[in-house]
Amino acid sequence: MMTLSQAKRGQRLLIAAISNPTIRAQAIRFGIAEGAEVECYEKLPAGPVVIGRGKQEIAIGRRLAENIEVQPA
């Protein structure tokens, strides 16, 4: 299992698990829940991971991304 912070640019991913309840609540506010399919648009060095879902782009901080488990879609 890998985390969102390990995703490669252009990779399509499935959100597998968000174990921390606080982080899960934040992610759900952005429309990202377990089972959602997203694409890694950009990964800035020591910065956020930019993911896309539909027409929405979301920049997720590296700390947050380390707590979101994903798998290739």
Side-chain angles (χ1 to χ4, degrees), residues 4-5 47-50 58-68:
L4 187 56
S5 64
V49 178
V50 181
I58 306 158
I60 297 179
R62 195 58 64 111
R63 272 239 173 87
L64 210 65
E66 288 169 356
N67 289 288
I68 299 175

Side-chain angles (χ1 to χ4, degrees), residues 11-14 37-38 71-73:
Q11 198 172 19
R12 294 196 65 74
L13 305 159
L14 199 65
E37 193 174 305
V38 297
Q71 60 192 37

Side-chain angles (χ1 to χ4, degrees), residues 1-4 14-20 23-24 33-36 64-71:
M1 192 68 70
M2 65 186 234
T3 65
L4 187 56
L14 199 65
I15 306 294
I18 306 171
S19 53
N20 183 316
I23 292 170
R24 185 183 302 126
E34 292 163 354
L64 210 65
E66 288 169 356
N67 289 288
I68 299 175
E69 290 182 15
V70 295
Q71 60 192 37

